[in-house]
Amino acid sequence: MLELIPASAIIAIVVIALIVIFLAVGYVKAPPDMAFIISGIKKKSKIVIGKAAIRIPFFERLDKLNLRLIPIDVKTSNAVPTADYININVDATVNVKISNEPEKLRLAAENFLNKNTEYIAGVAREVLEGNVREIVGKMKLEEMVSDRQKFATLVKENAEPDLAAMGLDIISFNVQNFVDGNEVIENLGIDNIVKIKKAAAIARAESERDIKVAQAAADKESNDAAVAAQTEIAKKQNELAIKRSELQQEADTKKAMADAAYEIQKEEQRKTIEVTTANADIAKQEREIELKQKEVAVKEQALEAEVKKQAEADKYAAQQKADAALYQRQKEAEAKQFEAQRQAEARKAQAEADRFAKEQEAEGIRAVGEAEAAAIQAKGVAEAEAMEKKAEAYAKYNKAAVAEMMIKVLPDVAAKIAEPLGQIDKITIIGGDGGNNGVEQVAGNVPAVMAKLFESMKEATGIDLADIVKADTYDAKVNRNVNVSGIDSVNLVVKDEKENPTT
């Protein structure tokens, strides 16, 4: 008989079976391109992408979101004016998808859960078209046409925040075409075509110019080579002509020698004279040639020695200059060090000198006082002695010395008397006294004053200067003996102008 199964075992089996059924019914596995959203028990939904999860049947709900790319064809419904006021239409292709980031995915679940792809594409298309219109209004047509990547980047950056708020990501944005109704873009292309053609024409012209320049250079080189070849041929021809002349000269010389030998046979005496003369001339020419060759060799050696000597001198000068510069730098360094030491010693010596100067200042003041007193005393003694000597000198003066002194000052006296006449710029004379005109009166003023001066000096000193002056007259020179009154025992003997005067 079969043994009865305990009730507890049956219950356990039933529970296990229920658990297995429960797990089998609640087990879910999400593919990589699909997001499973499990909600129900917890406040925050559970998101599963590319992995397995357990959903509690009857208590939790399973929803799905497609994560595949959504292609969108974005076209402006009507023309949009650019920043330079040109109406254009824009055609672009965009790929968007529901983001797999948890926060954005929750936003996408709130907005597009259980919605088909066409609905999501329509919403995204409206957002993208609005952003395209906004960027078109900020850019110029030429900038958009020449840099489509910049335009696409600006639209993408401008639309990403709006789509991110819906849980969508922009994967790509590509501009297909810009269209305008006024053929502006086509005209821009024509302008570029013209520029390209112009650049090509310039490049072609420059290439042709370079070809012509190269051809001209080649022709010049060819011509130079031809000229050089012709020059070389002419040189060779000249050398050949010279060689022929030398050979002809040698033949003529031999012929002349033969003729001379024939003549020698006829006249032995004449032969001897001519042979001797010819040998002397030849020896002289050979000697001159040897001397010239030696002079050339000496000049070459001298030139070589001079060049070598100059090179050695330059080398030695450069070496000496470098040594001098090094020596100068060393001496400058030593001088700076020595100067620093000297300055330190000078400051020390200055301090000692200042101290010594202070000590000597008092002694100096005392010595100055004593010196000034001695100087005053010596000055008084010297002035007294000078006055005494002057008195003795005046006592020894006789009338001859006094007359000599007076004669020496006569030119100065006459100059002072005539000085007022030299200051006169213009004189107007009207009439005159005693038949004399005014000019004679003015001109005679100086002699009259001098005569009165002589009379005054005669009365004062007893010396007649008029007689002394007369010693130079014609009569005195003829008689050769003049006696001047008023001077003791003095006879002036006037000799001829060529002799030396004696007293």
Side-chain angles (χ1 to χ4, degrees):
M1 293 181 64
L2 295 175
E3 295 182 357
L4 296 176
I5 299 173
S8 59
I10 295 173
I11 294 172
I13 293 171
V14 172
V15 170
I16 292 172
L18 290 176
I19 291 173
V20 172
I21 295 171
F22 177 80
L23 292 176
V25 173
Y27 178 79
V28 293
K29 186 176 181 180
D33 61 346
M34 191 72 66
F36 286 1
I37 300 174
I38 301 173
S39 59
I41 296 178
K42 296 181 180 179
K43 184 177 180 179
K44 192 173 183 179
S45 301
K46 183 179 180 181
I47 298 173
V48 180
I49 300 173
K51 60 182 179 179
I54 299 297
R55 177 182 66 87
I56 300 174
F58 308 110
F59 295 99
E60 291 182 334
R61 174 176 174 165
L62 175 64
D63 294 298
K64 299 178 181 180
L65 280 177
N66 192 346
L67 301 181
R68 298 187 183 94
L69 289 177
I70 302 174
I72 303 173
D73 187 10
V74 179
K75 294 183 179 180
T76 54
S77 56
N78 49 21
V80 182
T82 63
D84 46 359
Y85 307 104
I86 300 173
N87 293 327
I88 64 169
N89 289 310
V90 181
D91 183 8
T93 57
V94 185
N95 288 316
V96 300
K97 66 182 289 293
I98 295 175
S99 177
N100 55 5
E101 296 180 9
E103 295 300 326
K104 289 185 179 180
L105 190 58
R106 296 183 193 281
L107 292 174
E110 293 176 2
N111 294 313
F112 304 116
L113 192 62
N114 298 322
K115 300 292 182 180
N116 56 22
T117 304
E118 287 76 12
Y119 176 80
I120 299 173
V123 173
R125 183 181 296 108
E126 295 295 331
V127 175
L128 291 169
E129 184 176 349
N131 285 275
V132 167
R133 289 175 175 275
E134 182 179 353
I135 299 303
V136 168
K138 293 180 179 180
M139 296 181 67
K140 294 183 178 181
L141 178 59
E142 186 175 358
E143 184 181 5
M144 287 188 292
V145 173
S146 61
D147 193 355
R148 294 189 178 189
Q149 184 62 39
K150 180 180 179 181
F151 174 79
T153 302
L154 291 175
V155 174
K156 183 178 178 182
E157 292 176 352
N158 200 58
E160 278 180 346
D162 296 336
L163 295 177
M166 301 177 186
L168 300 177
D169 288 339
I170 299 177
I171 304 304
S172 65
F173 188 100
N174 297 308
V175 178
Q176 298 296 322
N177 196 12
F178 293 105
V179 181
D180 70 291
N182 297 319
E183 299 182 352
V184 177
I185 299 175
E186 183 178 357
N187 292 331
L188 290 174
I190 293 173
D191 184 41
N192 290 331
I193 291 172
V194 172
K195 290 181 180 178
I196 293 171
K197 287 182 177 180
K198 180 180 177 181
I202 293 172
R204 184 181 295 107
E206 291 178 350
S207 299
E208 292 176 354
R209 181 198 62 192
D210 295 340
I211 292 172
K212 290 181 179 179
V213 170
Q215 185 65 38
D219 294 340
K220 181 179 180 299
E221 291 178 359
S222 177
N223 187 38
D224 293 342
V227 171
Q230 292 177 1
T231 303
E232 189 66 24
I233 292 171
K235 289 181 179 179
K236 294 297 182 181
Q237 289 177 349
N238 291 335
E239 292 176 359
L240 178 60
I242 293 170
K243 189 65 176 178
R244 286 177 178 176
S245 299
E246 291 177 351
L247 292 174
Q248 184 64 36
Q249 182 180 3
E250 185 178 356
D252 293 342
T253 303
K254 290 181 179 181
K255 183 179 179 182
M257 292 175 64
D259 293 339
Y262 178 73
E263 293 294 333
I264 290 170
Q265 289 177 0
K266 293 172 62 177
E267 297 178 315
E268 287 294 330
Q269 187 64 30
R270 186 177 177 181
K271 174 184 175 182
T272 303
I273 297 172
E274 290 179 356
V275 169
T276 303
T277 303
N279 291 333
D281 293 338
I282 292 171
K284 181 179 180 182
Q285 292 178 359
E286 291 177 352
R287 182 61 178 170
E288 289 177 355
I289 292 172
E290 291 177 359
L291 289 175
K292 290 182 179 179
Q293 290 178 351
K294 289 182 178 180
E295 288 177 359
V296 171
V298 170
K299 288 182 179 180
E300 290 179 353
Q301 292 177 358
L303 181 61
E304 182 180 359
E306 183 178 357
V307 172
K308 184 176 180 181
K309 185 176 182 181
Q310 183 64 34
E312 292 177 354
D314 294 341
K315 179 180 178 182
Y316 179 77
Q319 183 176 0
Q320 291 297 318
K321 185 176 181 181
D323 294 340
L326 177 61
Y327 179 79
Q328 183 178 2
R329 290 195 296 270
Q330 293 176 351
K331 288 301 180 182
E332 287 177 353
E334 294 176 359
K336 289 181 180 179
Q337 182 179 3
F338 178 76
E339 184 65 21
Q341 295 176 355
R342 294 289 296 173
Q343 289 179 357
E345 294 176 359
R347 287 193 293 269
K348 181 178 179 181
Q350 183 63 34
E352 294 177 357
D354 292 339
R355 180 179 61 79
F356 181 78
K358 295 295 183 180
E359 294 175 354
Q360 295 297 318
E361 186 175 358
E363 292 292 332
I365 293 172
R366 182 178 61 80
V368 167
E370 293 176 355
E372 288 178 352
I376 293 171
Q377 182 180 0
K379 183 178 180 181
V381 173
E383 288 177 352
E385 291 177 356
M387 293 297 293
E388 184 179 356
K389 295 294 183 181
K390 188 181 293 185
E392 292 175 359
Y394 284 152
K396 294 178 180 179
Y397 267 37
N398 54 19
K399 291 184 177 182
V402 174
E404 183 181 0
M405 293 174 62
M406 293 172 65
I407 290 170
K408 288 182 180 180
V409 301
L410 283 178
D412 296 335
V413 173
K416 293 296 183 180
I417 294 172
E419 184 176 359
L421 295 178
Q423 302 296 327
I424 298 173
D425 182 23
K426 181 178 180 183
I427 300 176
T428 303
I429 301 173
I430 302 173
D433 290 337
N436 296 328
N437 54 30
V439 176
E440 293 176 351
Q441 293 178 4
V442 174
N445 184 45
V446 175
V449 174
M450 290 296 295
K452 291 180 179 180
L453 177 63
F454 287 179
E455 292 176 359
S456 299
M457 294 178 68
K458 181 178 180 181
E459 293 175 358
T461 62
I463 298 172
D464 191 354
L465 293 178
D467 292 338
I468 297 173
V469 173
K470 290 178 181 180
D472 198 30
T473 63
Y474 177 78
D475 184 67
K477 290 181 179 180
V478 173
N479 296 328
R480 300 180 180 275
N481 189 11
V482 178
N483 293 323
V484 180
S485 61
I487 301 178
D488 296 338
S489 301
V490 177
N491 294 324
L492 300 177
V493 180
V494 182
K495 290 188 178 183
D496 295 335
E497 293 180 359
K498 295 182 179 180
E499 295 178 358
N500 294 326
T502 59
T503 303

